[in-house]
Amino acid sequence: MRQRLVVIGNGMAGARTVEEILARGGDFEITMFGDEPYGNYNRIMLSNVLAGVEDESGIFLNDLSWYADNGITLHASTRIERIDRFAKRVYAEDGTETPYDKLIIATGSRAFVPPIPGIHRPGRGYHQGVFAFRTLDDTRAMIRYAREHERAVVIGGGLLGLEAARGLQSHLPHVTLVHAAGHLMNTQLNEQAGRQLKDTIEAKLGIEVVVDGMTTEILGKNAVTGVKLADGRVIPCDVVVVAAGIRANSEMAAASDLPVERGIVVDDQMRVQDEDDIYAVGECAQHRGEVYGLVAPLWDQAKVLADHLTGVNPFAEYHGSQVATKLKVAGVDVAAMGLKEPEHEDDEVLTYAEPKKGIYKNVIIRDGRLAGATLVGDVKKVAFLMQAFDRGLALPEDRAELMFDLGGPAGEVKVEDMPDDEQVCNCNGVSKGTICSTVQSGCKTVSGVMDKTRAGKGCGTCKSVVQRIVEWAAGGEVEEDPAASYYVPGIPMPKPELMNAIRLHSLKSVSAVFAKLGGEEDAKSKMGLASLLKMMWGAEYVDERDARFINDRVHANIQRDGTFSVVPQMKGGVTTPAQLRRIAEVAERHEVPMVKLTGGQRIDLLGIPKEKLPEVWADLDMPSGYAYGKSFRTVKTCVGSDFCRFGVGDSTALGIALEERYQGIEGPGKMKLAVTGCPRNCAEAYVKDLGVVAIDGGKWEIYVGGAAGAHVRKGDLLATVGSADEVITLTGRFLQYYRENANWLERTYAFVPRIGIDRIREIVVDDSDGIAAELDAAMDASVRAYRDPWRDRDEPATPGQFRTSLPLIVLPQVPVRA
Amino acid sequence: MRPIASVHEIPLGEGRTIAVDGEMIAVFRLRDGSVRAISAVCPHKGGPLADGQIDLKQVICPLHLNAWDLRTGCSLSGQQDVAVYPVFIDDDKIMLGE
């Protein structure tokens, strides 16, 4: 028999939980009880209904037909009076009783009405002209009454009070907001932000705001005529709206002997303490001491409860929500998360205020992580801040980036203003319209949209715009992709965890990793795993060639027509007449379509068919220059002190030595290096993954994390050292640290700021963690394992390793022995 | 139904292009031992699909990393679909046909 699920409460929490249960295919006989006579509506939108910008019909989330369509029995206008926990029944006001197997309490909360003299009239409820602001009926009554009156006072300067004040302005000319605390929205905002909000609201909306105003009496005999404050002031009015906060509706639960403090006490599965079959969600629930009054925690709770009840994940747990809010309060953008004031002496606080424009921004950082942020009047950075806050991301070194978009065209565009046909991803030609329609078709993760459309999958510079478009198109319903933190998409683990598991189980091949950790083989994960295993196991790595990308299978870079480019090693960009002559001869003999100088100071032979690669390598008889792998690529140098009249260090000799030592080392991304003989930087060392600059006095500066591709970044100074040997050692140690800790395809320009240059310097230069010797030893092992891959020419690693795959011409049919 | 290649010509987990009556077919040998065959040319920009990386489900074109379902030929990244060919293993030969 199907289990009977009874839900007390038909508000946002109750209905959302039921939706989540249905979405998981939960098979229950569902009965819902609602106090109000309607289907389920979006309470947050009531302020829009009050303001007249939204129609009543527009705020319904589920109308009555939804209940029928899903086989849900809805008892609207029916209040539950009591639960019998032992008989497992609920009793309604109208005398009916309903049995349950599982019970969800989602009774929400009600307006808190302070005991102010004159607020009630005996036998009549509220005094005439006094309203609470909580339900659709409250809203309707308020609109009807306000239309025929002149002056309103709103009691309460929190979110709800501000919304009520703005809404009332649509119906009568004078609105005064009276707030007992010293500044508006004092739960969410600090004093300065609250003051800014007050100034903006008074100037922009013409609402009069009184703070430090304790209401002591509601005046008027038959109807309201004014309110009296503690300082004796009287504000004349004919409408009073009370928006002084909310209280959980938990009396019924308390009367039924359930544990109630500020709300109904629940555990991490939203189960009422000490009960087996009773749950509570939403504003009526108290979880780990918190009672939430916002919608986001409620969504989280509903998901956990649905996972648990349907058995999709019986062990799902809710661990509380980091409350971050972004709202338009009475027409003013406000966002707040975490701390509103610093608490410790060493909390970093950044504040920016521009009162004339109504802008206030405040950011609080603790131990390098975002601990709180407040934005008033300008919330452009809110998406970024919320993400940093939720996930505890490392923050940009330039703290100003937390508050402003500094440079870069990406930050300037407003996605809502972009035309649909505007090309967002210039590598793969994806328009805003395509991204939006992908979101509308149900794909609501950034990575999912990127996979489907290929937007952001080229050079990657447009990723932030793609993300913002997805967020905008999904209307704040972006789903987090758990895979974003995985090292590769097919194994659900971040890199450190993955490396531990690989070590623990001694997994030495890519197929072994899938078998043990991933379940199913995943083409998109193979290359990253192959790189990681090679780095971890060195000579013990079991090399499965199918785990390699084609470039790594044939040691050349695939070109648009399926041919390959061949770049022989040319250490430090220094060559000889003999080498040039040999390259020229080979190019002529094989009729190489293009011979090109590369940006890495080498010579590229382009257009070589796959089947001719071994022959070309043999004729060249030079080692590979690794112009194809996620590996150590080149060391670009300038002519240095031997010839240049400005050179202060022998950059060519050092460049050659670096390349000699670290040639072919594979890593999570390409590693491009340079050594330049003086700070004029002819070899562009400041914008390399690792760049070395000779300075006067026989010293060398080492910069890391530079880039000059789609992303341009000047490297950070890691260290200044006194000898070439030290440069070579630190280079190896830094590269090894990068290899072990960077995410797959994370170049140093992202890795270095993520870890922070100071932290990297501690580890790599100062050896604060005591791992320098280990890093050096691991790098040394990799260096010793080096073997020129172009030696594959003598003995192919697999059958048909160099067989053409590109049908430029019709191939002869493969003869098969009968 | 006819033999088009020996299984030993295709390493486990890789693909090779094979010409059959003037048509180019990319034949893959999956890690579970089975074989799949699709049209050899990527409909996006003409990339050699036999050079792509595969798993039990899909092949990824090496040029722009578009993906296709090996069993149905359906694009998994918004491109045109590719033709699929019925193949199976008989003894150590790869056979084309039902």
Side-chain angles (χ1 to χ4, degrees):
Chain A
M1 201 181 90
R2 291 165 87 201
Q3 287 218 312
R4 293 163 298 189
L5 173 68
V6 168
V7 183
I8 308 177
N10 184 33
M12 297 176 77
R16 180 63 164 238
T17 306
V18 170
E19 280 180 12
E20 295 282 356
I21 288 171
L22 295 174
R24 285 162 179 74
D27 187 27
F28 292 98
E29 193 182 310
I30 303 175
T31 306
M32 298 182 76
F33 291 91
D35 202 7
E36 293 182 62
Y38 313 106
N40 165 254
Y41 61 83
N42 185 345
R43 207 176 289 286
I44 301 166
M45 303 299 275
L46 284 179
S47 48
N48 283 347
V49 173
L50 179 62
V53 297
E54 184 96 42
D55 211 40
E56 271 186 21
S57 60
I59 71 167
F60 276 90
L61 297 169
N62 296 307
D63 59 19
L64 295 172
S65 65
W66 175 80
Y67 298 86
D69 293 347
N70 288 291
I72 299 165
T73 311
L74 172 66
H75 299 287
S77 301
T78 308
R79 185 186 283 249
I80 294 297
E81 268 189 330
R82 187 168 65 86
I83 302 164
D84 185 331
R85 298 144 57 213
F86 305 105
K88 294 179 107 175
R89 278 161 191 274
V90 297
Y91 298 89
E93 232 172 13
D94 60 9
T96 56
E97 55 178 87
T98 310
Y100 65 82
D101 297 306
K102 299 280 176 193
L103 176 67
I104 299 174
I105 307 174
T107 45
S109 57
R110 62 177 181 282
F112 166 63
V113 180
I116 303 168
I119 209 162
H120 295 281
R121 272 292 171 267
R124 277 209 348 225
Y126 293 129
H127 195 357
Q128 180 158 344
V130 175
F131 299 89
F133 182 31
R134 178 70 190 168
T135 64
L136 185 55
D137 286 345
D138 291 338
T139 311
R140 285 176 178 170
M142 209 185 321
I143 292 172
R144 262 198 314 272
Y145 196 84
R147 277 190 188 144
E148 288 158 17
H149 293 82
E150 290 287 308
R151 314 183 78 90
V153 164
V154 176
I155 299 176
L159 176 61
L160 199 63
L162 286 160
E163 291 285 5
R166 177 191 65 127
L168 284 167
Q169 279 198 308
S170 314
H171 306 291
L172 41 68
H174 301 285
V175 179
T176 306
L177 188 139
V178 178
H179 188 46
H183 62 270
L184 292 179
M185 287 184 73
N186 50 303
T187 333
Q188 292 92 357
L189 303 182
N190 64 25
E191 195 186 337
Q192 208 183 340
R195 255 203 327 259
Q196 182 59 62
L197 182 60
K198 172 177 182 278
D199 291 346
T200 308
I201 281 174
E202 289 191 316
K204 230 169 103 177
L205 303 176
I207 294 172
E208 195 183 327
V209 179
V210 178
V211 291
D212 285 320
M214 174 67 89
T215 310
T216 52
E217 197 182 342
I218 309 288
L219 306 172
K221 194 156 184 255
N222 298 315
V224 170
T225 57
V227 301
K228 188 169 175 187
L229 305 185
D231 60 6
R233 247 188 307 174
V234 169
I235 302 170
C237 65
D238 40 28
V239 180
V240 170
V241 173
V242 184
I246 53 171
R247 291 292 181 270
N249 282 326
S250 52
E251 289 77 2
M252 183 273 297
S256 308
D257 287 331
L258 294 175
V260 171
E261 291 171 10
R262 285 187 303 133
I264 304 166
V265 182
V266 297
D267 65 13
D268 286 353
Q269 295 185 320
M270 308 312 295
R271 191 190 293 111
V272 176
Q273 203 175 52
D274 300 327
E275 292 296 325
D276 291 328
D277 299 307
I278 307 181
Y279 301 84
V281 281
E283 292 177 347
C284 66
Q286 174 180 329
H287 173 263
R288 296 192 185 181
E290 292 287 332
V291 178
Y292 296 98
L294 290 163
V295 79
L298 183 164
W299 295 162
D300 297 340
Q301 295 175 355
K303 279 184 194 157
V304 168
L305 181 50
D307 275 346
H308 169 73
L309 275 180
T310 56
V312 165
N313 175 8
F315 309 107
E317 288 190 354
Y318 175 66
H319 293 151
S321 298
Q322 296 255 48
V323 178
T325 38
K326 174 183 173 273
L327 308 149
K328 229 183 174 61
V329 185
V332 184
D333 284 316
V334 175
M337 61 202 82
L339 299 181
K340 50 178 182 164
E341 313 265 8
E343 290 173 346
H344 300 329
E345 227 166 67
D346 54 356
D347 284 350
E348 270 176 75
V349 184
L350 282 76
T351 303
Y352 174 81
E354 198 179 345
K356 209 168 170 187
K357 284 194 189 153
I359 293 172
Y360 173 83
K361 306 182 188 195
N362 171 278
V363 170
I364 300 166
I365 301 162
R366 181 176 298 167
D367 302 329
R369 309 286 146 167
L370 188 63
T374 306
L375 306 172
V376 177
D378 171 7
V379 295
K380 283 204 269 299
K381 295 298 284 185
V382 69
F384 170 71
L385 290 170
M386 276 189 173
Q387 213 169 42
F389 179 69
D390 275 349
R391 304 187 195 160
L393 303 180
L395 302 177
E397 288 215 10
D398 187 351
R399 299 294 201 222
E401 284 176 33
L402 290 167
M403 292 190 170
F404 310 98
D405 287 325
L406 301 178
E412 311 291 339
V413 222
K414 263 189 152 174
V415 295
E416 52 268 49
D417 297 341
M418 285 166 68
D420 260 3
D421 58 357
E422 181 159 331
Q423 183 156 302
V424 175
C425 175
N426 291 326
C427 292
N428 292 328
V430 184
S431 68
K432 176 191 167 190
T434 308
I435 295 173
C436 291
S437 56
T438 308
V439 172
Q440 269 128 35
S441 71
C443 182
K444 290 190 177 170
T445 64
V446 176
S447 53
V449 171
M450 285 171 57
D451 274 344
K452 277 223 165 80
T453 61
R454 310 223 43 80
K457 291 257 177 176
C459 71
T461 38
C462 65
K463 262 190 218 163
S464 68
V465 189
V466 173
Q467 178 174 358
R468 284 186 294 132
I469 294 174
V470 172
E471 282 166 359
W472 173 76
E477 300 235 316
V478 176
E479 286 157 19
E480 197 148 319
D481 180 10
S485 66
Y486 304 164
Y487 171 71
V488 285
I491 311 277
M493 292 180 185
K495 184 166 178 176
E497 209 177 299
L498 175 61
M499 286 175 70
N500 282 339
I502 287 171
R503 252 182 239 118
L504 178 69
H505 301 293
S506 250
L507 306 174
K508 296 186 180 170
S509 71
V510 171
S511 60
V513 173
F514 283 122
K516 189 82 195 168
L517 308 175
E520 222 171 72
E521 191 191 13
D522 173 44
K524 291 178 181 168
S525 302
K526 287 181 165 184
M527 192 184 176
L529 289 174
S531 161
L532 183 66
L533 291 172
K534 176 91 190 292
M535 189 266 291
M536 290 176 66
W537 297 111
E540 286 177 64
Y541 164 61
V542 179
D543 181 11
E544 293 166 338
R545 304 292 286 208
D546 64 307
R548 300 182 176 206
F549 183 59
I550 185 66
N551 285 6
D552 299 312
R553 289 183 196 165
V554 301
H555 321 299
N557 200 343
I558 193 165
Q559 305 294 309
R560 60 176 304 156
D561 60 355
T563 65
F564 290 83
S565 81
V566 169
V567 181
Q569 188 177 57
M570 201 170 272
K571 290 177 195 143
V574 180
T575 183
T576 62
Q579 189 183 24
L580 291 174
R581 200 172 291 123
R582 176 75 64 85
I583 291 171
E585 279 166 11
V586 171
E588 268 183 355
R589 191 178 317 144
H590 294 278
E591 294 174 341
V592 172
M594 182 184 262
V595 181
K596 172 87 181 67
L597 300 184
T598 72
Q601 300 186 338
R602 310 188 289 182
I603 293 175
D604 194 348
L605 306 176
L606 290 139
I608 315 280
K610 188 166 38 164
E611 61 275 21
K612 285 182 80 176
L613 287 170
E615 209 183 317
V616 171
W617 296 335
D619 289 352
L620 283 169
D621 196 23
M622 297 169 194
S624 166
Y626 279 93
Y628 44 82
K630 301 300 173 203
S631 63
F632 182 98
R633 291 290 188 88
T634 60
V635 184
K636 194 168 170 171
T637 67
C638 67
V639 293
S641 51
D642 274 3
F643 290 92
C644 177
R645 63 203 159 92
F646 299 114
V648 294
D650 190 352
S651 53
T652 41
L654 180 51
I656 290 168
L658 283 171
E659 192 161 348
E660 183 91 46
R661 180 161 171 80
Y662 299 116
Q663 57 193 348
I665 295 290
E666 62 291 316
K670 291 182 272 198
M671 291 163 267
K672 296 183 173 179
L673 284 74
V675 183
T676 199
C678 80
R680 283 176 186 76
N681 192 30
C682 296
E684 297 165 353
Y686 294 129
V687 288
K688 294 293 177 191
D689 293 292
L690 186 143
V692 184
V693 181
I695 57 172
D696 205 26
K699 291 191 183 142
W700 301 92
E701 289 178 335
I702 305 174
Y703 290 84
V704 294
H711 187 97
V712 180
R713 181 179 193 271
K714 186 181 173 184
D716 298 317
L717 181 62
L718 176 70
T720 304
V721 297
S723 71
D725 282 347
E726 286 169 89
V727 172
I728 293 172
T729 306
L730 285 184
T731 298
R733 203 179 293 158
F734 169 76
L735 292 180
Q736 184 63 23
Y737 183 69
Y738 165 67
R739 297 171 78 203
E740 291 182 12
N741 294 283
N743 293 319
W744 176 236
L745 302 184
E746 182 181 32
R747 290 286 298 270
T748 62
Y749 69 75
F751 173 73
V752 170
R754 175 165 71 84
I755 304 292
I757 184 65
D758 295 334
R759 177 77 186 120
I760 290 179
R761 190 180 302 114
E762 275 173 26
I763 295 165
V764 172
V765 184
D766 309 331
D767 193 18
S768 64
D769 291 24
I771 58 166
E774 265 170 60
L775 291 172
D776 291 350
M779 179 51 99
D780 203 51
S782 293
V783 167
R784 274 184 282 115
Y786 167 79
R787 171 184 174 276
D788 173 24
W790 285 0
R791 288 281 153 197
D792 263 8
R793 63 180 180 255
D794 305 330
E795 200 178 319
T798 56
Q801 181 184 7
F802 297 107
R803 205 170 95 189
T804 184
S805 284
L806 187 83
L808 288 170
I809 44 160
V810 172
L811 306 172
Q813 189 176 331
V814 181
V816 178
R817 255 172 266 130
Chain B
M1 195 170 31
R2 58 198 238 198
I4 52 169
S6 152
V7 287
H8 307 300
E9 289 171 45
I10 307 180
L12 212 53
E14 293 191 37
R16 295 287 182 260
T17 303
I18 291 171
V20 179
D21 298 339
E23 264 184 86
M24 296 297 156
I25 303 180
V27 182
F28 299 92
R29 199 163 146 230
L30 277 49
R31 275 202 164 261
D32 65 2
S34 62
V35 286
R36 303 275 186 278
I38 60 172
S39 163
V41 186
C42 172
H44 173 230
K45 292 273 166 95
L49 291 177
D51 281 344
Q53 286 191 284
I54 60 164
D55 53 33
L56 298 183
K57 182 167 186 271
Q58 60 183 336
V59 57
I60 319 268
C61 175
L63 292 194
H64 304 99
L65 309 184
N66 283 300
W68 281 268
D69 187 312
L70 284 169
R71 198 179 283 281
T72 63
C74 291
S75 168
L76 303 172
S77 54
Q79 300 292 325
Q80 276 178 37
D81 298 342
V82 294
V84 289
Y85 299 85
V87 281
F88 63 95
I89 293 179
D90 182 19
D91 212 359
D92 64 350
K93 287 191 290 291
I94 297 173
M95 309 292 288
L96 176 69
E98 296 293 345

